[in-house]
């Protein structure tokens, strides 16, 4: 899973990236924006994997991970082209974390203005809508040219219908993520990776003092249906560089129950509607990330395409059950070891073993 950290210049994207990845990349007030994204892979803390690993004592324990891509400020220049490398990079991410500055800084106010968080979000969404309109319009022009030359396949017609619907929606100043397209149309335009189709998580980068009280903007965002979280970026970055015991003491003082990394990764799961299932054994205990509502055969395909192709049954039991009864043998005796078919909807915390034949 790839999450793009985006936001206005100097809102603290790299500072938060540092906090999430325990790195120490330079952050400063005056340097021009970097030309490339910083990329970091973060292991998703999951107590359940830790405990399963204690039980099975496997050779390898593999947690889920999230890639964070820290992009230089975008939409700062109006020369930004829809096909630019940065845009392409951002669009390859599944979701956005929009970093907004709420810590006070007069100099940054003067250089970059001091819009409220909500105004900044609106400005970003506006730019996304405009950029998506350009992409949709250009593609529609090409399709029409094709029609004139006699290229009018059913597939292109589906795409055209989808793009017209999208364009109309964008012209009403609405994000594509709020538009429900019929599945075949959604599939026809998926490749465009429209900006405004991606879910957004709001991260308010707050001063250490400001962290003590919730920013009023948090309530505004949640009222509008956005997931939003307050992060004392600079402080959390310092914490991320300490050893866990030391960090724990400081966190207690600040009234922070879990690290920025753990809070943000959890929010990314919520934002994208993700859950985890596990595979266990002597060789490996491992977490797999799937979308809520995924069936057993598609979950098996996450592990390996052969497992989906030759799927027979999923042997399944719950994390809670194995923790309560201590071994698979006991689970079998209690009848808690199930066999599930292709259509079974995998639940968060399920432990699966796929029987297959290819
Ligand atoms: N006081 C304070 N300063 C911060 C915080 N986060 C970032 N800064 C400062 O803001 C400037 C820009 O930060 P940076 O992370 O490079 O912003 P980016 O351009 O969004 O990547 C730097 O001088 C940081 O030290 C914060 O939480 N509190
Ligand atoms: Mg930066």
């Amino acid at each position: 899973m790839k999450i793009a950290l985006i936001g206005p210049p100097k809102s603290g994207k790299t500072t938060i990236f540092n906090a999430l990845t325990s790195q120490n990349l330079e952050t400063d007030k005056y340097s021009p924006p970097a030309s490339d994204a910083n990329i970091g892979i973060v292991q998703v803390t999951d107590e359940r994997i830790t405990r399963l690993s204690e039980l099975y004592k496997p050779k390898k324990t593999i947690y889920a991970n999230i890639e964070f891509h820290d992009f230089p400020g975008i939409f700062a220049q109006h020369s930004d082209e829809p096909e630019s490398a940065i845009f392409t990079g951002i669009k390859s991410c599944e979701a956005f974390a929009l970093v907004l500055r709420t810590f006070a800084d007069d100099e940054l106010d003067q250089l970059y203005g001091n819009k409220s968080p909500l105004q900044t979000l609106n400005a970003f969404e506006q730019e996304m809508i405009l950029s998506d309109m350009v992409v949709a319009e250009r593609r529609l022009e090409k399709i029409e040219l094709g029609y004139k030359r006699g290229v009018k396949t059913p597939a292109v017609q589906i795409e055209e219908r989808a793009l017209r619907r999208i364009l109309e929606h964008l012209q009403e100043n609405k994000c594509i993520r709020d538009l429900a397209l019929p599945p075949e149309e959604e599939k026809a335009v998926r490749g465009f990776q429209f900006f405004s189709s991606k879910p957004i998580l709001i991260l308010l980068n707050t001063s250490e003092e400001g962290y003590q009280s919730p920013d009023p903007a948090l309530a505004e965002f949640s009222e509008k249906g956005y997931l939003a979280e307050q992060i004392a970026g600079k402080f959390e970055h310092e914490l991320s560089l300490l050893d866990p015991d030391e960090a724990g003491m400081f966190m207690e003082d600040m009234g922070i129950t879990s690290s920025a990394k753990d809070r943000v990764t959890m929010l990314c799961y919520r934002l994208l509607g993700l859950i985890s299932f596990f595979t266990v054994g002597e060789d490996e205990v491992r977490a797999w990330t799937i979308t809520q509502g995924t069936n057993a055969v598609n979950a098996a395909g996450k592990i390996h395409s052969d497992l989906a192709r030759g799927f027979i049954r999923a042997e399944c039991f719950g994390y809670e059950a194995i923790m309560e009864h201590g071994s698979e043998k006991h689970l079998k005796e209690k009848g808690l070891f199930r066999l599930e078919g292709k259509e079974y909807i995998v639940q968060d915390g399920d432990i699966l073993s796929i029987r297959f034949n290819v």
Side-chain angles (χ1 to χ4, degrees):
M1 180 193 343
K2 295 201 283 186
I3 308 289
L5 291 169
I6 60 170
K10 309 297 172 192
S11 62
K13 299 177 292 299
T14 303
T15 304
I16 287 182
F17 175 81
N18 278 338
L20 296 174
T21 60
S22 306
Q23 292 190 65
N24 225 341
L25 302 178
E26 191 170 284
T27 58
D28 81 286
K29 244 168 152 169
Y30 308 108
S31 62
S35 51
D36 290 318
N38 303 308
I39 299 175
I41 297 176
V42 163
Q43 185 175 297
V44 177
T45 308
D46 191 334
E47 173 81 7
R48 296 171 298 180
I49 282 289
T50 312
R51 295 192 52 199
L52 286 169
S53 183
E54 285 161 9
L55 187 67
Y56 283 88
K57 305 191 173 38
K59 297 192 190 96
K60 268 189 300 186
T61 300
I62 304 177
Y63 292 80
N65 60 50
I66 299 185
E67 258 183 49
F68 286 99
H69 292 226
D70 164 34
F71 286 94
I74 49 159
F75 299 130
Q77 307 103 337
H78 285 283
S79 61
D80 287 340
E81 264 294 296
E83 284 89 16
S84 74
I86 290 215
F87 274 22
T88 311
I90 292 176
K91 285 182 171 181
S92 77
C93 295
E94 279 104 320
F96 300 142
L98 180 65
V99 177
L100 303 174
R101 173 171 71 91
T102 61
F103 65 87
D105 189 312
D106 291 341
E107 253 175 329
L108 289 178
D109 282 352
Q110 271 174 18
L111 287 167
Y112 300 107
N114 63 344
K115 285 203 194 104
S116 74
L118 198 56
Q119 283 171 326
T120 313
L121 169 71
N122 288 340
F124 261 78
E125 290 199 328
Q126 203 62 55
E127 295 284 357
M128 291 186 182
I129 287 171
L130 284 175
S131 171
D132 288 346
M133 273 164 95
V134 172
V135 172
E137 277 167 353
R138 283 188 190 171
R139 178 62 193 148
L140 279 168
E141 279 166 22
K142 282 215 177 110
I143 289 177
E144 270 164 27
L145 265 179
Y147 284 173
K148 281 187 191 138
R149 292 203 201 95
V151 190
K152 199 166 189 171
T153 62
V156 174
Q157 284 171 294
I158 293 170
E159 187 188 340
E160 187 208 351
R161 219 179 311 138
L163 288 170
R164 295 221 180 274
R165 237 196 270 268
I166 283 174
L167 200 54
E168 197 178 308
H169 186 79
L170 292 168
Q171 277 157 351
E172 288 167 18
N173 222 4
K174 293 192 280 205
C175 288
I176 299 173
R177 79 177 91 89
D178 304 326
L179 173 69
L181 287 175
E184 59 167 16
E185 291 185 23
E186 192 278 324
K187 216 170 147 196
V189 296
R190 204 178 287 163
F192 291 107
Q193 304 192 301
F194 288 111
F195 274 124
S196 74
S197 68
K198 315 256 183 184
I200 292 194
L201 168 67
I202 313 283
L203 299 179
L204 296 180
N205 187 14
T206 312
S207 69
E208 203 172 320
E209 306 78 54
Y211 190 81
Q212 302 299 335
S213 50
D215 193 295
L218 283 177
E220 290 175 9
F221 285 122
S222 100
E223 210 169 282
K224 292 188 181 295
Y226 291 90
L227 273 182
E229 173 80 1
Q230 191 159 299
I231 290 180
K234 216 170 170 170
F235 177 73
E236 294 269 9
H237 174 221
E238 285 158 15
L239 280 184
S240 76
L241 301 175
L242 301 176
D243 71 61
D245 288 345
E246 237 181 322
M249 268 159 43
F250 280 107
M251 278 162 66
E252 220 179 286
D253 285 350
M254 278 281 278
I256 303 177
T257 45
S258 57
S259 67
K261 185 199 96 166
D262 288 346
R263 275 151 41 224
V264 171
T265 52
M266 202 198 70
L267 285 167
C268 290
Y269 272 66
R270 258 177 71 190
L271 183 72
L272 290 163
L274 300 173
I275 57 170
S276 305
F277 75 90
F278 310 121
T279 49
V280 297
E282 286 172 7
D283 282 337
E284 188 181 281
V285 163
R286 180 165 182 164
W288 302 87
T289 309
I290 51 171
T291 312
Q292 237 157 38
T294 300
N295 64 22
V297 66
N298 289 333
K302 270 265 161 190
I303 304 172
H304 197 285
S305 56
D306 282 353
L307 300 196
R309 203 153 45 88
F311 185 96
I312 302 171
R313 279 279 182 277
E315 295 177 350
C316 177
F317 52 93
Y319 166 79
E320 298 298 341
I322 188 84
M323 282 302 144
E324 191 184 331
H325 298 285
S327 76
E328 292 182 22
K329 187 170 159 274
H330 285 121
L331 286 185
K332 282 182 184 148
E333 287 164 8
K334 301 255 175 214
L336 293 170
F337 202 93
R338 301 164 351 236
L339 280 179
E340 303 284 3
K342 286 185 175 177
E343 296 305 324
Y344 169 71
I345 301 298
V346 177
Q347 304 295 310
D348 189 45
D350 274 353
I351 296 169
L352 299 183
S353 168
I354 309 297
R355 285 198 201 158
F356 71 111
N357 183 11
V358 283

